[in-house]
Amino acid sequence: TVVAIEPGFSNFHRLQENVLLNNLQHKVIALNLAASATNGELLLIEETGKPGYSGNIVPQHVAMPEMHSYRVVVPQLPLLHLPALFGVPQPTHIKIDVDGNELGVLQGLAGFAAEQMMVEMKRGQEAPLEQWMADNGYDLAQRFVHGARVGKKTGLNMADAWYGLWIKKGLS
């Protein structure tokens, strides 16, 4: 079973379409929410033509930009609570790519031990993520570097990020 979490409305809609098109509705559980360190709500702003863009996430205290196409508030909660709240299986493998809130998502896993985690790391922001992984018993097994290309929709340099494959100590 795959549990796919997507807070953005457009991306969640695409996720559901792809699950159905590929006849995976009995293997994929899609949840429209945001993973975080705490329970609460997250305001998302989705600009026309930019679904999935990290600039869509707007903290509650930030003034709303004028150019938004729509906004939606989604629940946010720690991943640790998913099995009890939604009856989903305890994950053994986790991939985290949340465009800057990776540490918050990891903090929402405190006390839980997945066998493997793949976590996107932004250059210059690795230290707290690497420290969390070490403190929670994970070793970096492999590093995957994005190519030196610029994202077509976002204009972000993809070389500014890399993925780390982390293995729980004692399992490698």
Side-chain angles (χ1 to χ4, degrees), residues 2-14:
V2 172
V3 178
I5 299 167
E6 176 53 57
F9 176 76
S10 295
N11 287 342
F12 184 72
H13 179 73
R14 286 186 185 131

Side-chain angles (χ1 to χ4, degrees), residues 21-51:
L21 285 171
N22 290 290
N23 197 29
L24 296 172
Q25 56 271 33
H26 300 293
K27 296 181 181 182
V28 176
I29 299 168
L31 300 174
N32 187 205
L33 55 87
S36 178
T38 59
N39 291 318
E41 295 178 331
L42 180 67
L43 174 63
L44 298 177
I45 298 172
E46 198 155 313
E47 295 181 44
T48 304
K50 292 186 178 181

Side-chain angles (χ1 to χ4, degrees), residues 3-172:
V3 178
I5 299 167
E6 176 53 57
F9 176 76
S10 295
N11 287 342
F12 184 72
H13 179 73
R14 286 186 185 131
L15 171 63
Q16 289 180 310
E17 285 180 331
N18 280 306
V19 167
L20 290 172
L21 285 171
N22 290 290
N23 197 29
L24 296 172
Q25 56 271 33
H26 300 293
K27 296 181 181 182
V28 176
I29 299 168
L31 300 174
N32 187 205
L33 55 87
S36 178
T38 59
N39 291 318
E41 295 178 331
L42 180 67
L43 174 63
L44 298 177
I45 298 172
E46 198 155 313
E47 295 181 44
T48 304
K50 292 186 178 181
Y53 174 56
S54 64
N56 292 339
I57 299 172
V58 179
Q60 296 287 6
H61 63 278
V62 174
M64 293 288 296
E66 295 299 318
M67 70 269 186
H68 70 277
S69 59
Y70 64 90
R71 59 183 164 180
V72 62
V73 176
V74 296
Q76 68 178 23
L77 54 94
L79 291 176
L80 188 62
H81 297 252
L82 291 182
L85 290 173
F86 296 99
V88 298
Q90 195 82 336
T92 56
H93 297 72
I94 297 173
K95 177 183 177 279
I96 301 171
D97 180 349
V98 292
D99 298 324
N101 190 35
E102 285 78 10
L103 184 58
V105 173
L106 289 171
Q107 290 168 337
L109 284 168
F112 176 74
E115 295 172 21
Q116 297 181 1
M117 285 199 251
M118 181 166 281
V119 182
E120 185 179 45
M121 313 289 263
K122 304 280 193 264
R123 296 201 191 281
Q125 300 173 9
E126 299 108 55
L129 295 169
E130 290 171 336
Q131 188 63 53
W132 189 95
M133 298 305 280
D135 290 348
N136 287 274
Y138 288 89
D139 288 322
L140 180 61
Q142 195 165 358
R143 177 187 294 244
F144 301 91
V145 179
H146 289 293
R149 67 193 195 305
V150 174
K152 290 179 184 175
K153 289 186 180 181
T154 65
L156 297 175
N157 185 346
M158 299 308 288
D160 290 339
W162 56 278
Y163 285 98
L165 176 62
W166 302 84
I167 309 291
K168 187 72 174 172
K169 290 179 183 173
L171 298 178
S172 53

